[in-house]
Amino acid sequence: MNYTKIAGLGYYVPENIVRNEDLVNLMDTSDEWIIERTGIEERRYGSRMKETTTTMAAKASELALERAGVDKKDIDFIIFATLSPDYFFPGCGVLVQRELKMTEYEAPALDIRNQCSGFIYGLSIADQFIKTGQYRNILLIGAEMHSMGLDFTTRGRNVSVIFGDGAGAAVLQRSDEPGILQTCLHSNGTHAEELAFINPGSHSGYHLGVERFGYDDRKYGGTFLTQKMWEDEDYYPNMNGQLVFKTAVTKFPEVINEALNMQGLSASDINMLIPHQANLRISQFVQRQLKLRDDQVWNNIQRFGNTTAASIPIALTEAWEAGKIKEGDLVCLAAFGSGFTWGSALIRW
Ligand code: UT7
């Protein structure tokens, strides 16, 4: 039987540290508010001149490949999760292949969305390809350059203070022993627009109405990006924070327990929980629900903010680097976010 193990991990965050006090200069917010509601003290923003989602991903990947001892020519498949790609298309999968100078091997590259749960979705996809025997080594990346697309005025403060830039990568490898024991994935599109980056897009007002997006304004280039969107500065992400929070605290424990039940395990078997770093309060709530000690949960949102698809691989790499994950440990990953999409993974280290 084929199993999937994590053979190497790496992460990269930009040098530029943006503290809460720095944001106070841009919008009506405060260090106290941000820390109390989210736990975030600082985050990183990429260099506008030098960095993109892809360049950060390449740095994380180089480290993961080196630690795995896997040559680039032996990567059979690249999976890239991001909601902040360099281009609308093509996706970052082929861009990172080029950045890593891997084009000559012509391995397939798959781009997935799935926002905060992108890394767990990617892990599950990779696991299926490895289990069936089709691929031996897969490079899985989660990377985000949020800072290029946030509203740094008071209007966007509930979103912009939360997000940070960074990248994490894992080399997944075929093994005779587990490995990934279980992945559980879910989605429910009922509240798709409650945490979304809607414009520009091809919706053309179909779902959301002519009035809001002014899609008849064809003289400005069709319906994709209209003059009205431009004038209203209607091209930023929006979030119904309370709805996301309330749903997340239900779905995190639910999907973790689902994976544990499927494996005949319980929360007391978990050695290390790596929750998607959405909000420290959410992670603490989940920790209490599962009755885990502080040293059994890895949180770094205080230093990096919410890096969406990158948050789990960055946190997992940090925990591993810190020696907090040992051979034989049961590691649990869990995420919830835009879509809504959510998922969990159980890994025997
Ligand atoms: O990874 C993606 C998934 N995302 C999440 O999991 C996020 C989940 N949600 C949250 O983390 C929280 O809902 C937030 C941190 C986003 C917001 O916290 P909240 O306690 O839910 O605040 P709220 O949205 O209910 O807003 C409370 C007040 C409002 O003012 P009024 O109407 O009471 O006067 C907001 O305008 O706080 C205000 N506010 C801010 N004040 C200072 C919102 N953002 C800020 C800010 N600084 N940055």
Side-chain angles (χ1 to χ4, degrees):
M1 169 121 187
N2 294 325
Y3 293 100
T4 306
K5 71 169 183 185
I6 295 185
L9 287 165
Y11 81 92
Y12 170 82
V13 288
E15 279 173 22
N16 181 23
I17 298 173
V18 178
R19 300 187 55 79
N20 293 342
E21 289 83 14
D22 300 321
L23 297 177
V24 171
N25 298 325
L26 303 173
M27 64 187 83
D28 181 11
T29 189
S30 66
D31 185 39
E32 297 73 33
W33 192 96
I34 300 171
I35 290 180
E36 192 194 315
R37 308 280 177 132
T38 71
I40 299 166
E41 293 164 29
E42 59 189 43
R43 72 287 290 143
R44 306 292 179 102
Y45 287 171
S47 157
R48 277 170 192 265
M49 303 308 287
K50 286 188 253 158
E51 295 187 300
T52 68
T53 301
T54 297
T55 65
M56 295 192 298
K59 287 184 175 147
S61 301
E62 293 276 13
L63 194 55
L65 285 160
E66 188 191 316
R67 286 170 168 173
V70 170
D71 200 279
K72 288 174 187 172
K73 71 173 176 358
D74 295 322
I75 290 294
D76 303 312
F77 194 28
I78 299 167
I79 304 177
F80 202 124
T82 185
L83 64 71
S84 51
D86 296 25
Y87 308 140
F88 202 84
F89 74 85
C92 286
V94 293
L95 301 182
V96 81
Q97 182 205 49
R98 186 175 64 188
E99 185 78 13
L100 289 168
K101 304 195 170 28
M102 291 168 65
T103 50
E104 64 181 294
Y105 313 122
E106 299 190 342
L110 174 69
D111 295 277
I112 58 170
R113 304 280 297 261
N114 302 88
Q115 302 71 246
C116 304
S117 39
F119 190 81
I120 290 182
Y121 267 74
L123 199 69
S124 188
I125 293 167
D127 189 33
Q128 313 313 316
F129 274 105
I130 287 177
K131 277 201 273 205
T132 59
Q134 181 156 353
Y135 296 132
R136 187 179 291 275
N137 291 304
I138 298 180
L139 176 61
L140 170 63
I141 302 163
E144 305 285 359
M145 182 71 95
H146 286 306
S147 61
M148 304 294 182
L150 297 172
D151 180 357
F152 289 108
T153 68
T154 298
R155 184 182 68 165
R157 65 184 176 173
N158 69 321
V159 177
S160 53
V161 301
I162 293 176
F163 293 96
D165 300 341
V171 175
L172 307 169
Q173 198 166 59
R174 195 192 298 168
S175 160
D176 295 334
E177 291 168 19
I180 296 175
L181 300 175
Q182 187 72 51
T183 54
C184 293
L185 308 176
H186 291 282
S187 74
N188 182 336
T190 305
H191 300 297
E193 285 80 16
E194 301 293 342
L195 175 46
F197 194 151
I198 289 168
N199 293 324
S202 59
H203 51 77
S204 300
Y206 175 74
H207 288 296
L208 299 161
V210 178
E211 260 178 40
R212 181 170 173 201
F213 298 119
Y215 74 87
D216 270 345
D217 201 355
R218 289 172 194 275
K219 114 177 150 185
Y220 296 103
T223 60
F224 185 75
L225 175 61
T226 68
Q227 181 71 8
K228 186 165 187 330
M229 287 175 202
W230 187 251
E231 283 163 3
D232 294 349
E233 296 188 352
D234 196 358
Y235 41 74
Y236 289 118
N238 64 276
M239 174 168 71
N240 177 345
Q242 291 204 6
L243 177 69
V244 177
F245 195 104
K246 280 184 203 148
T247 318
V249 293
T250 310
K251 294 302 181 187
F252 264 103
E254 199 176 282
V255 76
I256 291 170
N257 281 320
E258 181 188 356
L260 289 166
N261 289 340
M262 287 175 86
Q263 287 296 315
L265 297 165
S266 66
S268 60
D269 294 309
I270 294 174
N271 298 104
M272 178 58 72
L273 171 68
I274 312 278
H276 160 56
Q277 303 291 295
N279 181 321
L280 189 60
R281 310 294 161 237
I282 294 176
S283 296
Q284 288 168 336
F285 183 91
V286 176
Q287 178 182 339
R288 284 196 297 276
Q289 291 277 305
L290 299 176
K291 299 188 173 54
L292 297 175
R293 299 185 311 269
D294 286 353
D295 64 324
Q296 292 177 299
V297 184
W298 191 267
N299 286 306
N300 61 14
I301 191 168
Q302 302 91 327
R303 289 174 285 120
F304 298 140
N306 178 344
T307 57
T308 312
S311 94
I312 288 180
I314 293 174
L316 182 61
T317 307
E318 269 201 337
W320 173 78
E321 285 176 352
K324 302 289 180 193
I325 302 176
K326 302 196 175 57
E327 208 176 325
D329 278 358
L330 183 68
V331 177
C332 178
L333 316 179
F336 176 89
S338 162
F340 297 145
T341 65
W342 63 101
S344 63
L346 289 175
I347 306 168
R348 182 65 68 191
W349 210 262

